[in-house]
Amino acid sequence: MIKYSIRGENLEVTEAIRDYVVSKLEKIEKYFQAEQELDARVNLKVYREKRLKWR
């Protein structure tokens, strides 16, 4: 069983985004035993502007 923590920075996490993330994370359950408890922390971030690093 996976416990999800989905967080958005500069972004509202809608139900559609949450469902998409959960559907992707559920694919990894097959690699773990059924009685294991998993914690998944997802941090979504939107960068407002592109910054170029000039040296």
Short mmCIF file of all heavy atoms in Angstrom, two decimals:
data_model
loop_
_atom_site.label_atom_id
_atom_site.label_comp_id
_atom_site.label_asym_id
_atom_site.label_seq_id
_atom_site.Cartn_x
_atom_site.Cartn_y
_atom_site.Cartn_z
N MET A 1 0.85 -1.18 0.00
CA MET A 1 0.00 0.00 0.00
C MET A 1 0.89 1.24 0.00
O MET A 1 1.86 1.32 0.74
CB MET A 1 -0.89 -0.01 1.23
CG MET A 1 -1.78 1.17 1.33
SD MET A 1 -2.82 1.06 2.79
CE MET A 1 -3.84 2.43 2.51
N ILE A 2 0.57 2.18 -0.85
CA ILE A 2 1.34 3.41 -0.95
C ILE A 2 0.55 4.56 -0.33
O ILE A 2 -0.62 4.77 -0.65
CB ILE A 2 1.68 3.76 -2.41
CG1 ILE A 2 2.52 2.67 -3.05
CG2 ILE A 2 2.42 5.08 -2.49
CD1 ILE A 2 2.88 2.93 -4.49
N LYS A 3 1.20 5.31 0.55
CA LYS A 3 0.62 6.54 1.09
C LYS A 3 1.19 7.69 0.26
O LYS A 3 2.40 7.82 0.11
CB LYS A 3 1.01 6.72 2.56
CG LYS A 3 0.44 5.69 3.47
CD LYS A 3 0.89 5.96 4.90
CE LYS A 3 0.43 4.87 5.83
NZ LYS A 3 0.93 5.09 7.19
N TYR A 4 0.32 8.51 -0.28
CA TYR A 4 0.73 9.59 -1.17
C TYR A 4 0.71 10.92 -0.46
O TYR A 4 -0.21 11.23 0.29
CB TYR A 4 -0.20 9.69 -2.38
CG TYR A 4 -0.34 8.40 -3.14
CD1 TYR A 4 -1.48 7.63 -3.02
CD2 TYR A 4 0.67 7.96 -3.96
CE1 TYR A 4 -1.61 6.45 -3.71
CE2 TYR A 4 0.55 6.77 -4.66
CZ TYR A 4 -0.60 6.03 -4.54
OH TYR A 4 -0.72 4.85 -5.22
N SER A 5 1.72 11.72 -0.72
CA SER A 5 1.77 13.10 -0.29
C SER A 5 2.13 13.91 -1.52
O SER A 5 3.28 13.91 -1.97
CB SER A 5 2.81 13.29 0.81
OG SER A 5 2.92 14.65 1.13
N ILE A 6 1.15 14.59 -2.10
CA ILE A 6 1.35 15.34 -3.33
C ILE A 6 1.22 16.82 -3.02
O ILE A 6 0.21 17.26 -2.49
CB ILE A 6 0.34 14.91 -4.41
CG1 ILE A 6 0.46 13.41 -4.67
CG2 ILE A 6 0.54 15.70 -5.69
CD1 ILE A 6 -0.63 12.84 -5.53
N ARG A 7 2.26 17.56 -3.34
CA ARG A 7 2.33 18.97 -2.96
C ARG A 7 2.70 19.79 -4.19
O ARG A 7 3.49 19.35 -5.03
CB ARG A 7 3.41 19.12 -1.90
CG ARG A 7 3.62 20.48 -1.40
CD ARG A 7 4.66 20.48 -0.27
NE ARG A 7 5.10 21.83 -0.09
CZ ARG A 7 6.34 22.23 -0.14
NH1 ARG A 7 7.30 21.36 -0.31
NH2 ARG A 7 6.65 23.49 0.02
N GLY A 8 2.14 20.97 -4.30
CA GLY A 8 2.46 21.85 -5.41
C GLY A 8 3.04 23.17 -4.94
O GLY A 8 2.52 23.76 -4.01
N GLU A 9 4.13 23.59 -5.57
CA GLU A 9 4.71 24.90 -5.30
C GLU A 9 4.41 25.78 -6.51
O GLU A 9 4.75 25.43 -7.63
CB GLU A 9 6.22 24.80 -5.11
CG GLU A 9 6.62 24.10 -3.84
CD GLU A 9 8.13 24.11 -3.66
OE1 GLU A 9 8.79 25.09 -4.06
OE2 GLU A 9 8.65 23.12 -3.13
N ASN A 10 3.80 26.91 -6.29
CA ASN A 10 3.38 27.82 -7.36
C ASN A 10 2.44 27.12 -8.33
O ASN A 10 2.41 27.41 -9.51
CB ASN A 10 4.58 28.36 -8.14
CG ASN A 10 5.54 29.13 -7.29
OD1 ASN A 10 5.14 29.74 -6.30
ND2 ASN A 10 6.81 29.09 -7.62
N LEU A 11 1.68 26.16 -7.81
CA LEU A 11 0.81 25.35 -8.65
C LEU A 11 -0.31 24.78 -7.79
O LEU A 11 -0.05 24.29 -6.70
CB LEU A 11 1.61 24.19 -9.27
CG LEU A 11 0.85 23.11 -10.00
CD1 LEU A 11 0.42 23.62 -11.37
CD2 LEU A 11 1.73 21.89 -10.16
N GLU A 12 -1.52 24.89 -8.27
CA GLU A 12 -2.65 24.27 -7.59
C GLU A 12 -2.76 22.83 -8.07
O GLU A 12 -2.82 22.56 -9.26
CB GLU A 12 -3.94 25.01 -7.90
CG GLU A 12 -5.14 24.42 -7.22
CD GLU A 12 -6.43 25.13 -7.60
OE1 GLU A 12 -6.36 26.21 -8.19
OE2 GLU A 12 -7.49 24.56 -7.30
N VAL A 13 -2.73 21.90 -7.12
CA VAL A 13 -2.83 20.48 -7.47
C VAL A 13 -4.31 20.13 -7.61
O VAL A 13 -5.03 20.01 -6.63
CB VAL A 13 -2.16 19.60 -6.40
CG1 VAL A 13 -2.26 18.13 -6.78
CG2 VAL A 13 -0.70 20.00 -6.22
N THR A 14 -4.75 19.99 -8.84
CA THR A 14 -6.14 19.67 -9.12
C THR A 14 -6.36 18.16 -9.03
O THR A 14 -5.40 17.39 -8.94
CB THR A 14 -6.54 20.16 -10.52
OG1 THR A 14 -5.74 19.46 -11.48
CG2 THR A 14 -6.34 21.65 -10.67
N GLU A 15 -7.60 17.75 -9.08
CA GLU A 15 -7.91 16.32 -9.03
C GLU A 15 -7.32 15.59 -10.24
O GLU A 15 -6.87 14.46 -10.13
CB GLU A 15 -9.43 16.11 -8.98
CG GLU A 15 -10.02 16.33 -7.62
CD GLU A 15 -9.46 15.38 -6.56
OE1 GLU A 15 -9.34 14.17 -6.84
OE2 GLU A 15 -9.13 15.86 -5.47
N ALA A 16 -7.32 16.25 -11.40
CA ALA A 16 -6.76 15.63 -12.60
C ALA A 16 -5.26 15.40 -12.45
O ALA A 16 -4.75 14.33 -12.80
CB ALA A 16 -7.04 16.50 -13.82
N ILE A 17 -4.55 16.37 -11.90
CA ILE A 17 -3.11 16.22 -11.68
C ILE A 17 -2.86 15.14 -10.63
O ILE A 17 -1.99 14.29 -10.80
CB ILE A 17 -2.48 17.56 -11.24
CG1 ILE A 17 -2.56 18.57 -12.38
CG2 ILE A 17 -1.03 17.36 -10.80
CD1 ILE A 17 -2.13 19.97 -12.01
N ARG A 18 -3.64 15.15 -9.57
CA ARG A 18 -3.49 14.16 -8.51
C ARG A 18 -3.74 12.75 -9.05
O ARG A 18 -2.98 11.82 -8.79
CB ARG A 18 -4.45 14.46 -7.36
CG ARG A 18 -4.33 13.52 -6.17
CD ARG A 18 -5.25 13.93 -5.04
NE ARG A 18 -5.05 15.30 -4.61
CZ ARG A 18 -4.08 15.70 -3.75
NH1 ARG A 18 -3.26 14.82 -3.27
NH2 ARG A 18 -3.99 16.95 -3.41
N ASP A 19 -4.79 12.58 -9.85
CA ASP A 19 -5.09 11.28 -10.44
C ASP A 19 -3.97 10.80 -11.35
O ASP A 19 -3.63 9.62 -11.37
CB ASP A 19 -6.40 11.32 -11.21
CG ASP A 19 -7.61 11.50 -10.31
OD1 ASP A 19 -7.50 11.24 -9.10
OD2 ASP A 19 -8.67 11.90 -10.83
N TYR A 20 -3.38 11.72 -12.12
CA TYR A 20 -2.28 11.37 -13.02
C TYR A 20 -1.07 10.88 -12.23
O TYR A 20 -0.47 9.86 -12.55
CB TYR A 20 -1.91 12.57 -13.88
CG TYR A 20 -0.76 12.31 -14.80
CD1 TYR A 20 -0.93 11.61 -15.98
CD2 TYR A 20 0.52 12.76 -14.49
CE1 TYR A 20 0.13 11.36 -16.83
CE2 TYR A 20 1.60 12.52 -15.33
CZ TYR A 20 1.39 11.82 -16.50
OH TYR A 20 2.44 11.56 -17.33
N VAL A 21 -0.72 11.61 -11.17
CA VAL A 21 0.44 11.24 -10.35
C VAL A 21 0.20 9.89 -9.67
O VAL A 21 1.07 9.02 -9.66
CB VAL A 21 0.73 12.34 -9.31
CG1 VAL A 21 1.77 11.88 -8.30
CG2 VAL A 21 1.18 13.62 -9.99
N VAL A 22 -0.99 9.69 -9.13
CA VAL A 22 -1.31 8.43 -8.46
C VAL A 22 -1.26 7.27 -9.46
O VAL A 22 -0.74 6.20 -9.15
CB VAL A 22 -2.68 8.51 -7.76
CG1 VAL A 22 -3.15 7.15 -7.30
CG2 VAL A 22 -2.61 9.48 -6.59
N SER A 23 -1.77 7.47 -10.66
CA SER A 23 -1.75 6.40 -11.66
C SER A 23 -0.33 6.01 -12.03
O SER A 23 -0.03 4.83 -12.25
CB SER A 23 -2.54 6.79 -12.90
OG SER A 23 -1.86 7.79 -13.64
N LYS A 24 0.57 6.98 -12.08
CA LYS A 24 1.97 6.69 -12.38
C LYS A 24 2.64 5.98 -11.22
O LYS A 24 3.42 5.05 -11.41
CB LYS A 24 2.73 7.97 -12.72
CG LYS A 24 2.27 8.62 -14.00
CD LYS A 24 2.52 7.71 -15.18
CE LYS A 24 2.07 8.33 -16.47
NZ LYS A 24 2.26 7.45 -17.61
N LEU A 25 2.34 6.40 -9.99
CA LEU A 25 2.97 5.78 -8.82
C LEU A 25 2.45 4.37 -8.56
O LEU A 25 3.18 3.54 -8.01
CB LEU A 25 2.75 6.65 -7.58
CG LEU A 25 3.54 7.95 -7.56
CD1 LEU A 25 3.12 8.78 -6.35
CD2 LEU A 25 5.03 7.69 -7.53
N GLU A 26 1.22 4.09 -8.94
CA GLU A 26 0.68 2.75 -8.72
C GLU A 26 1.41 1.70 -9.54
O GLU A 26 1.39 0.52 -9.19
CB GLU A 26 -0.82 2.73 -9.05
CG GLU A 26 -1.66 3.39 -7.98
CD GLU A 26 -3.12 3.46 -8.33
OE1 GLU A 26 -3.47 3.30 -9.53
OE2 GLU A 26 -3.92 3.70 -7.42
N LYS A 27 2.08 2.10 -10.59
CA LYS A 27 2.81 1.15 -11.43
C LYS A 27 4.01 0.54 -10.70
O LYS A 27 4.46 -0.54 -11.07
CB LYS A 27 3.28 1.83 -12.71
CG LYS A 27 2.14 2.20 -13.63
CD LYS A 27 2.65 2.85 -14.89
CE LYS A 27 1.48 3.20 -15.80
NZ LYS A 27 1.95 3.78 -17.06
N ILE A 28 4.53 1.21 -9.68
CA ILE A 28 5.70 0.67 -8.98
C ILE A 28 5.31 -0.31 -7.88
O ILE A 28 6.18 -0.98 -7.33
CB ILE A 28 6.58 1.79 -8.39
CG1 ILE A 28 5.85 2.57 -7.30
CG2 ILE A 28 7.08 2.71 -9.47
CD1 ILE A 28 6.74 3.49 -6.52
N GLU A 29 4.02 -0.42 -7.57
CA GLU A 29 3.58 -1.33 -6.51
C GLU A 29 3.95 -2.78 -6.82
O GLU A 29 4.20 -3.56 -5.90
CB GLU A 29 2.08 -1.22 -6.28
CG GLU A 29 1.67 0.00 -5.51
CD GLU A 29 0.18 0.01 -5.20
OE1 GLU A 29 -0.59 -0.68 -5.90
OE2 GLU A 29 -0.20 0.71 -4.27
N LYS A 30 4.02 -3.14 -8.07
CA LYS A 30 4.30 -4.53 -8.42
C LYS A 30 5.72 -4.95 -8.06
O LYS A 30 6.02 -6.13 -8.01
CB LYS A 30 4.04 -4.77 -9.90
CG LYS A 30 4.92 -3.97 -10.84
CD LYS A 30 4.53 -4.20 -12.29
CE LYS A 30 5.30 -3.26 -13.21
NZ LYS A 30 4.83 -3.37 -14.58
N TYR A 31 6.59 -4.00 -7.79
CA TYR A 31 7.97 -4.31 -7.44
C TYR A 31 8.17 -4.52 -5.93
O TYR A 31 9.27 -4.85 -5.50
CB TYR A 31 8.90 -3.21 -7.93
CG TYR A 31 8.89 -3.07 -9.43
CD1 TYR A 31 8.26 -2.00 -10.04
CD2 TYR A 31 9.49 -4.04 -10.23
CE1 TYR A 31 8.24 -1.88 -11.42
CE2 TYR A 31 9.47 -3.93 -11.61
CZ TYR A 31 8.85 -2.85 -12.20
OH TYR A 31 8.82 -2.74 -13.57
N PHE A 32 7.13 -4.32 -5.14
CA PHE A 32 7.22 -4.45 -3.69
C PHE A 32 6.25 -5.53 -3.21
O PHE A 32 5.28 -5.85 -3.88
CB PHE A 32 6.91 -3.11 -3.02
CG PHE A 32 7.89 -2.03 -3.40
CD1 PHE A 32 7.59 -1.14 -4.42
CD2 PHE A 32 9.09 -1.91 -2.73
CE1 PHE A 32 8.49 -0.15 -4.78
CE2 PHE A 32 9.99 -0.91 -3.09
CZ PHE A 32 9.69 -0.04 -4.11
N GLN A 33 6.50 -6.03 -2.02
CA GLN A 33 5.62 -7.03 -1.45
C GLN A 33 4.33 -6.37 -1.00
O GLN A 33 4.31 -5.19 -0.63
CB GLN A 33 6.31 -7.71 -0.27
CG GLN A 33 7.55 -8.47 -0.68
CD GLN A 33 8.30 -9.01 0.51
OE1 GLN A 33 7.91 -8.82 1.64
NE2 GLN A 33 9.39 -9.70 0.23
N ALA A 34 3.25 -7.15 -0.99
CA ALA A 34 1.92 -6.60 -0.70
C ALA A 34 1.82 -6.06 0.73
O ALA A 34 1.10 -5.10 0.98
CB ALA A 34 0.86 -7.66 -0.93
N GLU A 35 2.54 -6.66 1.67
CA GLU A 35 2.40 -6.23 3.06
C GLU A 35 3.30 -5.04 3.41
O GLU A 35 3.24 -4.53 4.52
CB GLU A 35 2.67 -7.39 4.02
CG GLU A 35 3.99 -8.10 3.85
CD GLU A 35 3.95 -9.21 2.82
OE1 GLU A 35 2.87 -9.57 2.32
OE2 GLU A 35 5.02 -9.72 2.50
N GLN A 36 4.11 -4.59 2.48
CA GLN A 36 4.97 -3.43 2.73
C GLN A 36 4.15 -2.14 2.64
O GLN A 36 3.27 -2.01 1.80
CB GLN A 36 6.10 -3.34 1.71
CG GLN A 36 7.22 -4.30 1.96
CD GLN A 36 8.33 -4.11 0.93
OE1 GLN A 36 8.05 -4.08 -0.26
NE2 GLN A 36 9.54 -4.00 1.40
N GLU A 37 4.50 -1.20 3.51
CA GLU A 37 3.90 0.13 3.42
C GLU A 37 4.91 1.08 2.82
O GLU A 37 6.07 1.11 3.22
CB GLU A 37 3.49 0.62 4.81
CG GLU A 37 2.27 -0.07 5.36
CD GLU A 37 1.72 0.61 6.60
OE1 GLU A 37 2.08 1.76 6.86
OE2 GLU A 37 0.93 -0.03 7.29
N LEU A 38 4.49 1.84 1.83
CA LEU A 38 5.37 2.76 1.14
C LEU A 38 4.87 4.19 1.31
O LEU A 38 3.67 4.44 1.32
CB LEU A 38 5.41 2.43 -0.36
CG LEU A 38 5.80 1.00 -0.73
CD1 LEU A 38 5.60 0.80 -2.22
CD2 LEU A 38 7.23 0.73 -0.34
N ASP A 39 5.81 5.11 1.44
CA ASP A 39 5.49 6.54 1.48
C ASP A 39 6.04 7.17 0.21
O ASP A 39 7.21 7.02 -0.11
CB ASP A 39 6.13 7.22 2.68
CG ASP A 39 5.50 6.82 3.99
OD1 ASP A 39 4.29 6.55 3.98
OD2 ASP A 39 6.20 6.78 5.01
N ALA A 40 5.18 7.85 -0.52
CA ALA A 40 5.60 8.54 -1.74
C ALA A 40 5.33 10.02 -1.56
O ALA A 40 4.20 10.43 -1.31
CB ALA A 40 4.85 8.01 -2.95
N ARG A 41 6.38 10.81 -1.67
CA ARG A 41 6.26 12.26 -1.56
C ARG A 41 6.57 12.87 -2.91
O ARG A 41 7.67 12.69 -3.44
CB ARG A 41 7.21 12.79 -0.50
CG ARG A 41 6.86 12.29 0.87
CD ARG A 41 7.77 12.90 1.92
NE ARG A 41 7.42 12.34 3.21
CZ ARG A 41 8.25 11.63 3.94
NH1 ARG A 41 9.47 11.39 3.53
NH2 ARG A 41 7.86 11.17 5.11
N VAL A 42 5.61 13.58 -3.46
CA VAL A 42 5.76 14.18 -4.78
C VAL A 42 5.64 15.68 -4.61
O VAL A 42 4.69 16.19 -4.04
CB VAL A 42 4.68 13.66 -5.76
CG1 VAL A 42 4.83 14.32 -7.11
CG2 VAL A 42 4.74 12.16 -5.87
N ASN A 43 6.64 16.39 -5.13
CA ASN A 43 6.64 17.84 -5.07
C ASN A 43 6.62 18.36 -6.50
O ASN A 43 7.56 18.13 -7.26
CB ASN A 43 7.88 18.34 -4.32
CG ASN A 43 7.81 19.81 -4.04
OD1 ASN A 43 6.74 20.38 -3.93
ND2 ASN A 43 8.96 20.44 -3.93
N LEU A 44 5.55 19.06 -6.87
CA LEU A 44 5.42 19.62 -8.21
C LEU A 44 5.74 21.10 -8.14
O LEU A 44 5.25 21.81 -7.26
CB LEU A 44 4.00 19.41 -8.73
CG LEU A 44 3.49 17.98 -8.73
CD1 LEU A 44 2.01 17.94 -9.02
CD2 LEU A 44 4.25 17.16 -9.74
N LYS A 45 6.56 21.56 -9.05
CA LYS A 45 6.97 22.96 -9.01
C LYS A 45 6.94 23.56 -10.40
O LYS A 45 7.32 22.90 -11.37
CB LYS A 45 8.38 23.08 -8.43
CG LYS A 45 8.83 24.49 -8.21
CD LYS A 45 10.12 24.53 -7.43
CE LYS A 45 10.45 25.97 -7.10
NZ LYS A 45 11.62 26.06 -6.24
N VAL A 46 6.49 24.79 -10.49
CA VAL A 46 6.46 25.53 -11.75
C VAL A 46 7.45 26.68 -11.62
O VAL A 46 7.41 27.45 -10.66
CB VAL A 46 5.05 26.08 -12.05
CG1 VAL A 46 5.07 26.98 -13.26
CG2 VAL A 46 4.07 24.96 -12.22
N TYR A 47 8.35 26.76 -12.58
CA TYR A 47 9.29 27.86 -12.62
C TYR A 47 8.66 28.98 -13.45
O TYR A 47 8.30 28.78 -14.60
CB TYR A 47 10.61 27.42 -13.22
CG TYR A 47 11.35 26.44 -12.33
CD1 TYR A 47 11.25 25.07 -12.55
CD2 TYR A 47 12.11 26.90 -11.27
CE1 TYR A 47 11.90 24.17 -11.73
CE2 TYR A 47 12.77 26.00 -10.44
CZ TYR A 47 12.66 24.65 -10.68
OH TYR A 47 13.30 23.75 -9.86
N ARG A 48 8.53 30.14 -12.86
CA ARG A 48 7.83 31.25 -13.51
C ARG A 48 8.59 31.82 -14.71
O ARG A 48 8.02 32.20 -15.69
CB ARG A 48 7.57 32.37 -12.49
CG ARG A 48 6.65 31.97 -11.38
CD ARG A 48 5.25 31.89 -11.86
NE ARG A 48 4.38 31.47 -10.76
CZ ARG A 48 3.11 31.29 -10.86
NH1 ARG A 48 2.51 31.48 -12.01
NH2 ARG A 48 2.40 30.90 -9.84
N GLU A 49 9.89 31.92 -14.60
CA GLU A 49 10.66 32.49 -15.70
C GLU A 49 11.95 31.69 -15.86
O GLU A 49 12.49 31.15 -14.91
CB GLU A 49 10.99 33.95 -15.43
CG GLU A 49 11.74 34.17 -14.13
CD GLU A 49 11.93 35.62 -13.80
OE1 GLU A 49 10.93 36.31 -13.58
OE2 GLU A 49 13.09 36.06 -13.78
N LYS A 50 12.40 31.64 -17.08
CA LYS A 50 13.65 30.95 -17.34
C LYS A 50 14.80 31.91 -17.06
O LYS A 50 14.79 33.05 -17.51
CB LYS A 50 13.72 30.48 -18.78
CG LYS A 50 12.79 29.36 -19.09
CD LYS A 50 13.01 28.85 -20.49
CE LYS A 50 12.09 27.68 -20.78
NZ LYS A 50 12.31 27.16 -22.13
N ARG A 51 15.74 31.43 -16.31
CA ARG A 51 16.92 32.24 -16.02
C ARG A 51 18.13 31.55 -16.63
O ARG A 51 18.39 30.41 -16.37
CB ARG A 51 17.12 32.39 -14.52
CG ARG A 51 16.02 33.16 -13.87
CD ARG A 51 16.31 33.34 -12.42
NE ARG A 51 15.20 34.02 -11.76
CZ ARG A 51 15.14 34.25 -10.49
NH1 ARG A 51 16.10 33.84 -9.69
NH2 ARG A 51 14.11 34.87 -9.97
N LEU A 52 18.84 32.31 -17.42
CA LEU A 52 20.06 31.77 -18.02
C LEU A 52 21.24 32.13 -17.14
O LEU A 52 21.34 33.26 -16.65
CB LEU A 52 20.26 32.35 -19.43
CG LEU A 52 19.19 32.03 -20.44
CD1 LEU A 52 19.47 32.78 -21.74
CD2 LEU A 52 19.15 30.55 -20.71
N LYS A 53 22.09 31.19 -16.93
CA LYS A 53 23.27 31.44 -16.12
C LYS A 53 24.42 31.80 -17.06
O LYS A 53 24.90 30.97 -17.82
CB LYS A 53 23.63 30.23 -15.29
CG LYS A 53 22.61 29.93 -14.23
CD LYS A 53 23.03 28.76 -13.38
CE LYS A 53 21.99 28.47 -12.33
NZ LYS A 53 22.37 27.32 -11.50
N TRP A 54 24.81 33.04 -17.04
CA TRP A 54 25.94 33.51 -17.85
C TRP A 54 27.14 33.65 -16.95
O TRP A 54 27.06 34.15 -15.86
CB TRP A 54 25.62 34.85 -18.50
CG TRP A 54 24.48 34.78 -19.45
CD1 TRP A 54 23.18 35.08 -19.19
CD2 TRP A 54 24.50 34.32 -20.80
NE1 TRP A 54 22.41 34.87 -20.30
CE2 TRP A 54 23.20 34.40 -21.31
CE3 TRP A 54 25.52 33.87 -21.63
CZ2 TRP A 54 22.88 34.04 -22.60
CZ3 TRP A 54 25.20 33.51 -22.93
CH2 TRP A 54 23.90 33.60 -23.40
N ARG A 55 28.25 33.21 -17.44
CA ARG A 55 29.49 33.32 -16.65
C ARG A 55 30.44 34.26 -17.30
O ARG A 55 30.56 34.48 -18.41
CB ARG A 55 30.14 31.96 -16.48
CG ARG A 55 29.27 31.07 -15.64
CD ARG A 55 29.95 29.76 -15.43
NE ARG A 55 29.02 28.92 -14.67
CZ ARG A 55 29.39 27.91 -13.97
NH1 ARG A 55 30.65 27.59 -13.87
NH2 ARG A 55 28.54 27.20 -13.31
#
